[in-house]
Structures are given as structure tokens and as C-alpha cells.
Amino acid sequence: MVKAAAVVIVVVGALGYYVWDYNTSPTGGKAKAEASASAAAEEAKTHDPEVGDCVKVADPQGEPLPTVVDCNSPEAEYKMGEMLPGTQLECASQYDYGIQYHNSRGFDYTLCFTKV
């Protein structure tokens, strides 16, 4: 009976320590998960240009992925001029390039760019 109680105390203690360490450790557990989520959010922002942002476009003929860059950078290829909400919208003739996005949640849009 004493051995069973000792095993239960050890297991509960280990579980309690794990929960405490997960929530308080600055280099692991919850902090690591939050840092990873924060890094993912920052990475997503670099691929979500706003009007006036300059971008370089990876795979422009296949599945284009715009990455926001400094407009004075030699990497800058296009400058975003407009975002058109809706489906099947074409950029006006004043724009040199457009990327259409189809979102599974129903928010489709087109990004229109001019060459830098």
C-alpha cells in the first residue's frame, strides 16, 4: 500500500513539475510555442503586401509568392498599386502584373502591381 502511494505521489509530482516547467520555462514549452507562432505570423506578414509596398515575386509563372522588400533594394521588382476584392477580377491596363488568390473561406482577391 505504501509503495502504491509513493508511486502515485511521484507520478503526480512529475506531472505537476512538467506543467509548471511548460508554463514558466523561458526556453521551452509554452514560450517556445508562442515564439514559433510569433515567427510564423511575422513570416506571413512578409508575404502579405499592402498598397505601396515593393515586392519580389518567387515563381511568377507558376504559383507566385510576393515577398515584401525595401523599395530601394535591388530585389524590388514590383510595387503594389491595388487590391481588388472578389472573383475573376482583372487588373487595369495601368498595371504590369497581377496575382489572383482564391481563399477557401470565400475571400477571393487580386493584387495589382507596377514594375519598379
Side-chain angles (χ1 to χ4, degrees), residues 72-88:
N72 296 323
S73 167
E75 293 181 305
E77 298 173 323
Y78 299 98
K79 186 170 190 173
M80 186 164 150
E82 188 174 11
M83 182 179 94
L84 306 172
T87 59
Q88 305 301 322

Side-chain angles (χ1 to χ4, degrees), residues 52-76:
D53 285 344
C54 291
V55 299
K56 67 178 181 177
V57 179
D59 195 16
Q61 303 303 321
E63 293 186 27
L65 179 65
T67 302
V68 177
V69 296
D70 186 90
C71 287
N72 296 323
S73 167
E75 293 181 305

Side-chain angles (χ1 to χ4, degrees), residues 6-37:
V7 169
V8 168
I9 290 172
V10 168
V11 169
V12 169
L15 182 61
Y17 175 77
Y18 173 78
V19 170
W20 174 80
D21 185 55
Y22 181 84
N23 288 310
T24 61
S25 174
T27 59
K30 188 175 182 179
K32 193 173 189 179
E34 288 172 354
S36 177

